[in-house]
Amino acid sequence: MTAPQQPQQQPCILCEQADGIVTLTLNLPHKLNPIAKDLQVELRDALERIRDDRTVRAVILTGAGKAFCVGADLSAMAPPGEPGQTLGDQTAEWMQKLSNPLIETLRTLPVPVVAAVNGPAAGAGVGLALAADVTIAARSAYFYLPFLPKLGIVPDLGCTWAIPRRAGRARAMGMALLDERLSAGRAVQWGLIWACADDEQLMDEARAIAQRLARLPAHAVLEAREAFDASEHHTLKEQLHYESERQRALIDRPSFREGVSAFLQKRPPVFETR
């Protein structure tokens, strides 16, 4: 007599690849896709595989079910087992080992990332959505920071870095303190995200954007991230010098020659893959 088989656990991340575009779907819909430990581990593993796969040209990140990501799973937070370690100690340790490297991996991926926010993005889910290069949202989606008003803790997973850079300090402070949901439409008006789409059109729009990004020169997303990051701490004079030095290097690359040839021949450019 054989022992009954244990039900197979569903993956926390679904991964689909087609035409050089990988779609990663947060797959805990029954819990509204909280950023649980297993989900973070699987998502980072998937991103590392993408980093090493030179056939991948763009990534879409979205959520299964009704939500994009509702942040931490508070119901799963338990007192630590280590003697002398507080829950705060444990949380900070996990963030530094897992959550922070996850955001850094997203921000340094050598291909462009599109976040398709299909529903609520709350708490750490906001940081995850804004770690993408291009963020779009379903018209019914919203962004919400409950950290300080509800829990007395600061926004994390890069929220305090991304929001003021995208929308300005005043709006970042309002989001952090006023306990209000920010609609997708208003997020577009604020410059927090690129666009919103009708709910049923969101993934089609995300794929169309990813396809456009996949046709970019292989190094384009890295250069764009680094240039805009540099501008945050440069004077105008320093940034002008930075731009000229990058042109010194980039104009001698094959992608520039291809771009000029395509322009003169009145055809779309075809750039090298990674």
PDB file of all heavy atoms in Angstrom, residues 135-173:
ATOM      1  N   THR A 135       6.339  51.885 -15.290  1.00  0.00           N
ATOM      2  CA  THR A 135       5.236  51.366 -14.490  1.00  0.00           C
ATOM      3  C   THR A 135       3.925  51.833 -15.092  1.00  0.00           C
ATOM      4  O   THR A 135       3.711  53.030 -15.289  1.00  0.00           O
ATOM      5  CB  THR A 135       5.334  51.859 -13.034  1.00  0.00           C
ATOM      6  OG1 THR A 135       6.620  51.523 -12.493  1.00  0.00           O
ATOM      7  CG2 THR A 135       4.245  51.225 -12.177  1.00  0.00           C
ATOM      8  N   ILE A 136       3.053  50.879 -15.414  1.00  0.00           N
ATOM      9  CA  ILE A 136       1.703  51.204 -15.874  1.00  0.00           C
ATOM     10  C   ILE A 136       0.722  50.504 -14.941  1.00  0.00           C
ATOM     11  O   ILE A 136       1.074  49.552 -14.238  1.00  0.00           O
ATOM     12  CB  ILE A 136       1.461  50.802 -17.337  1.00  0.00           C
ATOM     13  CG1 ILE A 136       1.519  49.278 -17.510  1.00  0.00           C
ATOM     14  CG2 ILE A 136       2.468  51.490 -18.251  1.00  0.00           C
ATOM     15  CD1 ILE A 136       1.095  48.822 -18.911  1.00  0.00           C
ATOM     16  N   ALA A 137      -0.515  50.987 -14.920  1.00  0.00           N
ATOM     17  CA  ALA A 137      -1.487  50.436 -13.975  1.00  0.00           C
ATOM     18  C   ALA A 137      -2.857  50.333 -14.625  1.00  0.00           C
ATOM     19  O   ALA A 137      -3.210  51.126 -15.512  1.00  0.00           O
ATOM     20  CB  ALA A 137      -1.579  51.320 -12.735  1.00  0.00           C
ATOM     21  N   ALA A 138      -3.609  49.353 -14.180  1.00  0.00           N
ATOM     22  CA  ALA A 138      -5.018  49.263 -14.552  1.00  0.00           C
ATOM     23  C   ALA A 138      -5.760  50.464 -13.975  1.00  0.00           C
ATOM     24  O   ALA A 138      -5.410  50.980 -12.907  1.00  0.00           O
ATOM     25  CB  ALA A 138      -5.620  47.965 -14.017  1.00  0.00           C
ATOM     26  N   ARG A 139      -6.786  50.905 -14.675  1.00  0.00           N
ATOM     27  CA  ARG A 139      -7.509  52.103 -14.235  1.00  0.00           C
ATOM     28  C   ARG A 139      -8.118  51.923 -12.843  1.00  0.00           C
ATOM     29  O   ARG A 139      -8.268  52.888 -12.092  1.00  0.00           O
ATOM     30  CB  ARG A 139      -8.595  52.465 -15.257  1.00  0.00           C
ATOM     31  CG  ARG A 139      -8.848  53.943 -15.369  1.00  0.00           C
ATOM     32  CD  ARG A 139      -9.699  54.282 -16.583  1.00  0.00           C
ATOM     33  NE  ARG A 139      -9.014  53.998 -17.827  1.00  0.00           N
ATOM     34  CZ  ARG A 139      -8.097  54.798 -18.374  1.00  0.00           C
ATOM     35  NH1 ARG A 139      -7.762  55.919 -17.766  1.00  0.00           N
ATOM     36  NH2 ARG A 139      -7.523  54.480 -19.526  1.00  0.00           N
ATOM     37  N   SER A 140      -8.448  50.692 -12.474  1.00  0.00           N
ATOM     38  CA  SER A 140      -9.044  50.441 -11.153  1.00  0.00           C
ATOM     39  C   SER A 140      -7.998  50.282 -10.052  1.00  0.00           C
ATOM     40  O   SER A 140      -8.351  50.178  -8.873  1.00  0.00           O
ATOM     41  CB  SER A 140      -9.904  49.173 -11.215  1.00  0.00           C
ATOM     42  OG  SER A 140      -9.078  48.029 -11.442  1.00  0.00           O
ATOM     43  N   ALA A 141      -6.733  50.240 -10.410  1.00  0.00           N
ATOM     44  CA  ALA A 141      -5.671  50.023  -9.424  1.00  0.00           C
ATOM     45  C   ALA A 141      -5.440  51.286  -8.599  1.00  0.00           C
ATOM     46  O   ALA A 141      -5.853  52.390  -8.972  1.00  0.00           O
ATOM     47  CB  ALA A 141      -4.374  49.613 -10.127  1.00  0.00           C
ATOM     48  N   TYR A 142      -4.757  51.100  -7.487  1.00  0.00           N
ATOM     49  CA  TYR A 142      -4.370  52.250  -6.662  1.00  0.00           C
ATOM     50  C   TYR A 142      -3.077  51.940  -5.924  1.00  0.00           C
ATOM     51  O   TYR A 142      -2.644  50.776  -5.844  1.00  0.00           O
ATOM     52  CB  TYR A 142      -5.483  52.648  -5.685  1.00  0.00           C
ATOM     53  CG  TYR A 142      -5.861  51.592  -4.671  1.00  0.00           C
ATOM     54  CD1 TYR A 142      -5.121  51.399  -3.500  1.00  0.00           C
ATOM     55  CD2 TYR A 142      -6.983  50.781  -4.865  1.00  0.00           C
ATOM     56  CE1 TYR A 142      -5.479  50.428  -2.562  1.00  0.00           C
ATOM     57  CE2 TYR A 142      -7.347  49.812  -3.953  1.00  0.00           C
ATOM     58  CZ  TYR A 142      -6.585  49.647  -2.789  1.00  0.00           C
ATOM     59  OH  TYR A 142      -6.934  48.676  -1.873  1.00  0.00           O
ATOM     60  N   PHE A 143      -2.467  53.001  -5.390  1.00  0.00           N
ATOM     61  CA  PHE A 143      -1.224  52.904  -4.634  1.00  0.00           C
ATOM     62  C   PHE A 143      -1.489  53.432  -3.227  1.00  0.00           C
ATOM     63  O   PHE A 143      -2.116  54.482  -3.052  1.00  0.00           O
ATOM     64  CB  PHE A 143      -0.121  53.722  -5.319  1.00  0.00           C
ATOM     65  CG  PHE A 143       0.171  53.260  -6.725  1.00  0.00           C
ATOM     66  CD1 PHE A 143      -0.613  53.690  -7.797  1.00  0.00           C
ATOM     67  CD2 PHE A 143       1.202  52.371  -6.975  1.00  0.00           C
ATOM     68  CE1 PHE A 143      -0.372  53.250  -9.087  1.00  0.00           C
ATOM     69  CE2 PHE A 143       1.460  51.923  -8.260  1.00  0.00           C
ATOM     70  CZ  PHE A 143       0.665  52.370  -9.320  1.00  0.00           C
ATOM     71  N   TYR A 144      -0.983  52.706  -2.229  1.00  0.00           N
ATOM     72  CA  TYR A 144      -1.355  53.030  -0.846  1.00  0.00           C
ATOM     73  C   TYR A 144      -0.191  52.708   0.088  1.00  0.00           C
ATOM     74  O   TYR A 144       0.382  51.616   0.021  1.00  0.00           O
ATOM     75  CB  TYR A 144      -2.602  52.216  -0.458  1.00  0.00           C
ATOM     76  CG  TYR A 144      -3.049  52.360   0.976  1.00  0.00           C
ATOM     77  CD1 TYR A 144      -3.229  53.613   1.555  1.00  0.00           C
ATOM     78  CD2 TYR A 144      -3.305  51.234   1.748  1.00  0.00           C
ATOM     79  CE1 TYR A 144      -3.652  53.745   2.865  1.00  0.00           C
ATOM     80  CE2 TYR A 144      -3.747  51.349   3.057  1.00  0.00           C
ATOM     81  CZ  TYR A 144      -3.911  52.610   3.627  1.00  0.00           C
ATOM     82  OH  TYR A 144      -4.328  52.725   4.912  1.00  0.00           O
ATOM     83  N   LEU A 145       0.136  53.689   0.940  1.00  0.00           N
ATOM     84  CA  LEU A 145       1.222  53.518   1.919  1.00  0.00           C
ATOM     85  C   LEU A 145       0.635  53.552   3.331  1.00  0.00           C
ATOM     86  O   LEU A 145       0.418  54.628   3.896  1.00  0.00           O
ATOM     87  CB  LEU A 145       2.262  54.644   1.773  1.00  0.00           C
ATOM     88  CG  LEU A 145       2.995  54.762   0.444  1.00  0.00           C
ATOM     89  CD1 LEU A 145       4.016  55.904   0.518  1.00  0.00           C
ATOM     90  CD2 LEU A 145       3.693  53.460   0.072  1.00  0.00           C
ATOM     91  N   PRO A 146       0.386  52.379   3.929  1.00  0.00           N
ATOM     92  CA  PRO A 146      -0.190  52.348   5.273  1.00  0.00           C
ATOM     93  C   PRO A 146       0.846  52.372   6.396  1.00  0.00           C
ATOM     94  O   PRO A 146       0.479  52.351   7.576  1.00  0.00           O
ATOM     95  CB  PRO A 146      -0.936  51.010   5.284  1.00  0.00           C
ATOM     96  CG  PRO A 146      -0.080  50.131   4.413  1.00  0.00           C
ATOM     97  CD  PRO A 146       0.482  51.022   3.342  1.00  0.00           C
ATOM     98  N   PHE A 147       2.134  52.395   6.054  1.00  0.00           N
ATOM     99  CA  PHE A 147       3.199  52.176   7.033  1.00  0.00           C
ATOM    100  C   PHE A 147       3.061  53.060   8.271  1.00  0.00           C
ATOM    101  O   PHE A 147       2.945  52.563   9.405  1.00  0.00           O
ATOM    102  CB  PHE A 147       4.566  52.460   6.398  1.00  0.00           C
ATOM    103  CG  PHE A 147       4.939  51.580   5.250  1.00  0.00           C
ATOM    104  CD1 PHE A 147       4.681  51.969   3.944  1.00  0.00           C
ATOM    105  CD2 PHE A 147       5.583  50.372   5.460  1.00  0.00           C
ATOM    106  CE1 PHE A 147       5.049  51.168   2.872  1.00  0.00           C
ATOM    107  CE2 PHE A 147       5.960  49.566   4.397  1.00  0.00           C
ATOM    108  CZ  PHE A 147       5.688  49.966   3.103  1.00  0.00           C
ATOM    109  N   LEU A 148       3.122  54.385   8.102  1.00  0.00           N
ATOM    110  CA  LEU A 148       3.115  55.287   9.254  1.00  0.00           C
ATOM    111  C   LEU A 148       1.727  55.471   9.855  1.00  0.00           C
ATOM    112  O   LEU A 148       1.567  55.344  11.078  1.00  0.00           O
ATOM    113  CB  LEU A 148       3.732  56.637   8.849  1.00  0.00           C
ATOM    114  CG  LEU A 148       5.265  56.597   8.778  1.00  0.00           C
ATOM    115  CD1 LEU A 148       5.806  57.729   7.922  1.00  0.00           C
ATOM    116  CD2 LEU A 148       5.866  56.655  10.173  1.00  0.00           C
ATOM    117  N   PRO A 149       0.680  55.732   9.056  1.00  0.00           N
ATOM    118  CA  PRO A 149      -0.643  55.942   9.661  1.00  0.00           C
ATOM    119  C   PRO A 149      -1.198  54.720  10.377  1.00  0.00           C
ATOM    120  O   PRO A 149      -1.896  54.854  11.389  1.00  0.00           O
ATOM    121  CB  PRO A 149      -1.529  56.308   8.461  1.00  0.00           C
ATOM    122  CG  PRO A 149      -0.605  56.721   7.378  1.00  0.00           C
ATOM    123  CD  PRO A 149       0.655  55.965   7.597  1.00  0.00           C
ATOM    124  N   LYS A 150      -0.928  53.523   9.858  1.00  0.00           N
ATOM    125  CA  LYS A 150      -1.526  52.315  10.429  1.00  0.00           C
ATOM    126  C   LYS A 150      -0.584  51.545  11.353  1.00  0.00           C
ATOM    127  O   LYS A 150      -1.047  50.845  12.255  1.00  0.00           O
ATOM    128  CB  LYS A 150      -1.973  51.375   9.298  1.00  0.00           C
ATOM    129  CG  LYS A 150      -3.019  51.955   8.358  1.00  0.00           C
ATOM    130  CD  LYS A 150      -4.335  52.221   9.056  1.00  0.00           C
ATOM    131  CE  LYS A 150      -5.416  52.574   8.039  1.00  0.00           C
ATOM    132  NZ  LYS A 150      -6.684  52.988   8.692  1.00  0.00           N
ATOM    133  N   LEU A 151       0.727  51.638  11.121  1.00  0.00           N
ATOM    134  CA  LEU A 151       1.670  50.760  11.828  1.00  0.00           C
ATOM    135  C   LEU A 151       2.791  51.506  12.542  1.00  0.00           C
ATOM    136  O   LEU A 151       3.535  50.902  13.315  1.00  0.00           O
ATOM    137  CB  LEU A 151       2.290  49.763  10.829  1.00  0.00           C
ATOM    138  CG  LEU A 151       1.300  48.854  10.095  1.00  0.00           C
ATOM    139  CD1 LEU A 151       2.002  48.132   8.950  1.00  0.00           C
ATOM    140  CD2 LEU A 151       0.691  47.846  11.064  1.00  0.00           C
ATOM    141  N   GLY A 152       2.947  52.789  12.262  1.00  0.00           N
ATOM    142  CA  GLY A 152       4.005  53.557  12.915  1.00  0.00           C
ATOM    143  C   GLY A 152       5.409  53.210  12.441  1.00  0.00           C
ATOM    144  O   GLY A 152       6.373  53.401  13.173  1.00  0.00           O
ATOM    145  N   ILE A 153       5.529  52.694  11.210  1.00  0.00           N
ATOM    146  CA  ILE A 153       6.837  52.352  10.660  1.00  0.00           C
ATOM    147  C   ILE A 153       7.017  53.089   9.330  1.00  0.00           C
ATOM    148  O   ILE A 153       6.059  53.609   8.760  1.00  0.00           O
ATOM    149  CB  ILE A 153       7.006  50.835  10.445  1.00  0.00           C
ATOM    150  CG1 ILE A 153       5.952  50.301   9.471  1.00  0.00           C
ATOM    151  CG2 ILE A 153       6.939  50.103  11.781  1.00  0.00           C
ATOM    152  CD1 ILE A 153       6.097  48.817   9.137  1.00  0.00           C
ATOM    153  N   VAL A 154       8.259  53.164   8.854  1.00  0.00           N
ATOM    154  CA  VAL A 154       8.519  53.941   7.641  1.00  0.00           C
ATOM    155  C   VAL A 154       8.239  53.106   6.396  1.00  0.00           C
ATOM    156  O   VAL A 154       8.341  51.878   6.411  1.00  0.00           O
ATOM    157  CB  VAL A 154       9.982  54.439   7.597  1.00  0.00           C
ATOM    158  CG1 VAL A 154      10.258  55.411   8.728  1.00  0.00           C
ATOM    159  CG2 VAL A 154      10.975  53.284   7.594  1.00  0.00           C
ATOM    160  N   PRO A 155       7.895  53.759   5.280  1.00  0.00           N
ATOM    161  CA  PRO A 155       7.798  53.042   4.005  1.00  0.00           C
ATOM    162  C   PRO A 155       9.134  52.391   3.660  1.00  0.00           C
ATOM    163  O   PRO A 155      10.206  52.942   3.951  1.00  0.00           O
ATOM    164  CB  PRO A 155       7.445  54.150   3.000  1.00  0.00           C
ATOM    165  CG  PRO A 155       6.801  55.213   3.823  1.00  0.00           C
ATOM    166  CD  PRO A 155       7.509  55.170   5.141  1.00  0.00           C
ATOM    167  N   ASP A 156       9.063  51.208   3.031  1.00  0.00           N
ATOM    168  CA  ASP A 156      10.306  50.489   2.739  1.00  0.00           C
ATOM    169  C   ASP A 156      10.296  49.949   1.317  1.00  0.00           C
ATOM    170  O   ASP A 156       9.495  50.363   0.493  1.00  0.00           O
ATOM    171  CB  ASP A 156      10.560  49.383   3.780  1.00  0.00           C
ATOM    172  CG  ASP A 156       9.424  48.376   3.891  1.00  0.00           C
ATOM    173  OD1 ASP A 156       8.614  48.272   2.938  1.00  0.00           O
ATOM    174  OD2 ASP A 156       9.334  47.675   4.922  1.00  0.00           O
ATOM    175  N   LEU A 157      11.203  49.027   1.033  1.00  0.00           N
ATOM    176  CA  LEU A 157      11.454  48.489  -0.303  1.00  0.00           C
ATOM    177  C   LEU A 157      11.656  49.593  -1.345  1.00  0.00           C
ATOM    178  O   LEU A 157      11.216  49.507  -2.476  1.00  0.00           O
ATOM    179  CB  LEU A 157      10.351  47.522  -0.737  1.00  0.00           C
ATOM    180  CG  LEU A 157      10.738  46.034  -0.519  1.00  0.00           C
ATOM    181  CD1 LEU A 157      10.704  45.691   0.949  1.00  0.00           C
ATOM    182  CD2 LEU A 157       9.876  45.110  -1.323  1.00  0.00           C
ATOM    183  N   GLY A 158      12.321  50.659  -0.905  1.00  0.00           N
ATOM    184  CA  GLY A 158      12.690  51.728  -1.823  1.00  0.00           C
ATOM    185  C   GLY A 158      11.645  52.798  -2.019  1.00  0.00           C
ATOM    186  O   GLY A 158      11.858  53.722  -2.819  1.00  0.00           O
ATOM    187  N   CYS A 159      10.512  52.726  -1.306  1.00  0.00           N
ATOM    188  CA  CYS A 159       9.467  53.747  -1.478  1.00  0.00           C
ATOM    189  C   CYS A 159       9.999  55.150  -1.198  1.00  0.00           C
ATOM    190  O   CYS A 159       9.681  56.099  -1.929  1.00  0.00           O
ATOM    191  CB  CYS A 159       8.287  53.460  -0.557  1.00  0.00           C
ATOM    192  SG  CYS A 159       7.249  52.067  -1.066  1.00  0.00           S
ATOM    193  N   THR A 160      10.793  55.304  -0.125  1.00  0.00           N
ATOM    194  CA  THR A 160      11.270  56.636   0.240  1.00  0.00           C
ATOM    195  C   THR A 160      12.327  57.145  -0.730  1.00  0.00           C
ATOM    196  O   THR A 160      12.660  58.330  -0.717  1.00  0.00           O
ATOM    197  CB  THR A 160      11.847  56.648   1.673  1.00  0.00           C
ATOM    198  OG1 THR A 160      12.945  55.723   1.764  1.00  0.00           O
ATOM    199  CG2 THR A 160      10.791  56.265   2.687  1.00  0.00           C
ATOM    200  N   TRP A 161      12.859  56.274  -1.562  1.00  0.00           N
ATOM    201  CA  TRP A 161      13.810  56.669  -2.609  1.00  0.00           C
ATOM    202  C   TRP A 161      13.070  56.987  -3.909  1.00  0.00           C
ATOM    203  O   TRP A 161      13.325  58.000  -4.548  1.00  0.00           O
ATOM    204  CB  TRP A 161      14.820  55.545  -2.831  1.00  0.00           C
ATOM    205  CG  TRP A 161      15.971  55.888  -3.726  1.00  0.00           C
ATOM    206  CD1 TRP A 161      17.178  56.422  -3.357  1.00  0.00           C
ATOM    207  CD2 TRP A 161      16.030  55.725  -5.153  1.00  0.00           C
ATOM    208  NE1 TRP A 161      17.985  56.602  -4.455  1.00  0.00           N
ATOM    209  CE2 TRP A 161      17.307  56.177  -5.574  1.00  0.00           C
ATOM    210  CE3 TRP A 161      15.143  55.236  -6.106  1.00  0.00           C
ATOM    211  CZ2 TRP A 161      17.702  56.150  -6.908  1.00  0.00           C
ATOM    212  CZ3 TRP A 161      15.532  55.218  -7.443  1.00  0.00           C
ATOM    213  CH2 TRP A 161      16.802  55.675  -7.832  1.00  0.00           C
ATOM    214  N   ALA A 162      12.141  56.112  -4.309  1.00  0.00           N
ATOM    215  CA  ALA A 162      11.508  56.224  -5.618  1.00  0.00           C
ATOM    216  C   ALA A 162      10.436  57.315  -5.670  1.00  0.00           C
ATOM    217  O   ALA A 162      10.345  58.053  -6.656  1.00  0.00           O
ATOM    218  CB  ALA A 162      10.901  54.882  -6.023  1.00  0.00           C
ATOM    219  N   ILE A 163       9.598  57.412  -4.644  1.00  0.00           N
ATOM    220  CA  ILE A 163       8.448  58.314  -4.739  1.00  0.00           C
ATOM    221  C   ILE A 163       8.869  59.776  -4.839  1.00  0.00           C
ATOM    222  O   ILE A 163       8.388  60.489  -5.733  1.00  0.00           O
ATOM    223  CB  ILE A 163       7.462  58.069  -3.585  1.00  0.00           C
ATOM    224  CG1 ILE A 163       6.871  56.663  -3.689  1.00  0.00           C
ATOM    225  CG2 ILE A 163       6.327  59.103  -3.612  1.00  0.00           C
ATOM    226  CD1 ILE A 163       6.016  56.245  -2.510  1.00  0.00           C
ATOM    227  N   PRO A 164       9.752  60.289  -3.967  1.00  0.00           N
ATOM    228  CA  PRO A 164      10.137  61.697  -4.137  1.00  0.00           C
ATOM    229  C   PRO A 164      10.848  61.971  -5.452  1.00  0.00           C
ATOM    230  O   PRO A 164      10.727  63.060  -6.012  1.00  0.00           O
ATOM    231  CB  PRO A 164      11.049  61.970  -2.932  1.00  0.00           C
ATOM    232  CG  PRO A 164      11.467  60.651  -2.427  1.00  0.00           C
ATOM    233  CD  PRO A 164      10.374  59.694  -2.772  1.00  0.00           C
ATOM    234  N   ARG A 165      11.583  61.002  -5.983  1.00  0.00           N
ATOM    235  CA  ARG A 165      12.254  61.203  -7.267  1.00  0.00           C
ATOM    236  C   ARG A 165      11.265  61.235  -8.430  1.00  0.00           C
ATOM    237  O   ARG A 165      11.482  61.923  -9.415  1.00  0.00           O
ATOM    238  CB  ARG A 165      13.292  60.096  -7.489  1.00  0.00           C
ATOM    239  CG  ARG A 165      14.579  60.336  -6.716  1.00  0.00           C
ATOM    240  CD  ARG A 165      15.486  59.117  -6.721  1.00  0.00           C
ATOM    241  NE  ARG A 165      16.797  59.429  -6.181  1.00  0.00           N
ATOM    242  CZ  ARG A 165      17.077  59.594  -4.895  1.00  0.00           C
ATOM    243  NH1 ARG A 165      16.096  59.463  -4.001  1.00  0.00           N
ATOM    244  NH2 ARG A 165      18.291  59.884  -4.487  1.00  0.00           N
ATOM    245  N   ARG A 166      10.181  60.501  -8.300  1.00  0.00           N
ATOM    246  CA  ARG A 166       9.192  60.468  -9.388  1.00  0.00           C
ATOM    247  C   ARG A 166       8.156  61.575  -9.237  1.00  0.00           C
ATOM    248  O   ARG A 166       7.757  62.189 -10.221  1.00  0.00           O
ATOM    249  CB  ARG A 166       8.479  59.116  -9.422  1.00  0.00           C
ATOM    250  CG  ARG A 166       9.351  57.947  -9.866  1.00  0.00           C
ATOM    251  CD  ARG A 166       8.485  56.731 -10.098  1.00  0.00           C
ATOM    252  NE  ARG A 166       9.249  55.570 -10.569  1.00  0.00           N
ATOM    253  CZ  ARG A 166       8.729  54.605 -11.316  1.00  0.00           C
ATOM    254  NH1 ARG A 166       7.461  54.656 -11.680  1.00  0.00           N
ATOM    255  NH2 ARG A 166       9.463  53.574 -11.693  1.00  0.00           N
ATOM    256  N   ALA A 167       7.686  61.789  -8.017  1.00  0.00           N
ATOM    257  CA  ALA A 167       6.542  62.676  -7.818  1.00  0.00           C
ATOM    258  C   ALA A 167       6.855  63.913  -6.990  1.00  0.00           C
ATOM    259  O   ALA A 167       6.004  64.797  -6.889  1.00  0.00           O
ATOM    260  CB  ALA A 167       5.398  61.899  -7.163  1.00  0.00           C
ATOM    261  N   GLY A 168       8.052  63.986  -6.380  1.00  0.00           N
ATOM    262  CA  GLY A 168       8.405  65.129  -5.558  1.00  0.00           C
ATOM    263  C   GLY A 168       8.194  64.864  -4.077  1.00  0.00           C
ATOM    264  O   GLY A 168       7.382  64.021  -3.682  1.00  0.00           O
ATOM    265  N   ARG A 169       8.925  65.609  -3.255  1.00  0.00           N
ATOM    266  CA  ARG A 169       8.891  65.394  -1.808  1.00  0.00           C
ATOM    267  C   ARG A 169       7.514  65.682  -1.206  1.00  0.00           C
ATOM    268  O   ARG A 169       7.039  64.951  -0.329  1.00  0.00           O
ATOM    269  CB  ARG A 169       9.952  66.267  -1.121  1.00  0.00           C
ATOM    270  CG  ARG A 169      10.001  66.098   0.388  1.00  0.00           C
ATOM    271  CD  ARG A 169      11.000  67.044   1.031  1.00  0.00           C
ATOM    272  NE  ARG A 169      10.915  66.996   2.486  1.00  0.00           N
ATOM    273  CZ  ARG A 169      11.623  66.200   3.268  1.00  0.00           C
ATOM    274  NH1 ARG A 169      12.498  65.374   2.719  1.00  0.00           N
ATOM    275  NH2 ARG A 169      11.482  66.216   4.576  1.00  0.00           N
ATOM    276  N   ALA A 170       6.855  66.749  -1.646  1.00  0.00           N
ATOM    277  CA  ALA A 170       5.566  67.112  -1.058  1.00  0.00           C
ATOM    278  C   ALA A 170       4.550  65.990  -1.234  1.00  0.00           C
ATOM    279  O   ALA A 170       3.815  65.634  -0.295  1.00  0.00           O
ATOM    280  CB  ALA A 170       5.052  68.409  -1.683  1.00  0.00           C
ATOM    281  N   ARG A 171       4.510  65.422  -2.425  1.00  0.00           N
ATOM    282  CA  ARG A 171       3.555  64.341  -2.673  1.00  0.00           C
ATOM    283  C   ARG A 171       3.978  63.063  -1.971  1.00  0.00           C
ATOM    284  O   ARG A 171       3.120  62.290  -1.513  1.00  0.00           O
ATOM    285  CB  ARG A 171       3.406  64.141  -4.183  1.00  0.00           C
ATOM    286  CG  ARG A 171       2.583  65.258  -4.808  1.00  0.00           C
ATOM    287  CD  ARG A 171       2.646  65.292  -6.297  1.00  0.00           C
ATOM    288  NE  ARG A 171       1.649  66.227  -6.829  1.00  0.00           N
ATOM    289  CZ  ARG A 171       1.651  66.699  -8.052  1.00  0.00           C
ATOM    290  NH1 ARG A 171       2.585  66.304  -8.919  1.00  0.00           N
ATOM    291  NH2 ARG A 171       0.714  67.544  -8.449  1.00  0.00           N
ATOM    292  N   ALA A 172       5.281  62.831  -1.865  1.00  0.00           N
ATOM    293  CA  ALA A 172       5.757  61.671  -1.113  1.00  0.00           C
ATOM    294  C   ALA A 172       5.338  61.771   0.354  1.00  0.00           C
ATOM    295  O   ALA A 172       4.880  60.787   0.955  1.00  0.00           O
ATOM    296  CB  ALA A 172       7.274  61.551  -1.227  1.00  0.00           C
ATOM    297  N   MET A 173       5.476  62.947   0.936  1.00  0.00           N
ATOM    298  CA  MET A 173       5.070  63.137   2.332  1.00  0.00           C
ATOM    299  C   MET A 173       3.564  62.955   2.489  1.00  0.00           C
ATOM    300  O   MET A 173       3.099  62.335   3.450  1.00  0.00           O
ATOM    301  CB  MET A 173       5.487  64.524   2.812  1.00  0.00           C
ATOM    302  CG  MET A 173       6.981  64.676   3.043  1.00  0.00           C
ATOM    303  SD  MET A 173       7.584  63.699   4.439  1.00  0.00           S
ATOM    304  CE  MET A 173       6.955  64.657   5.822  1.00  0.00           C
TER     305      MET A 173
END
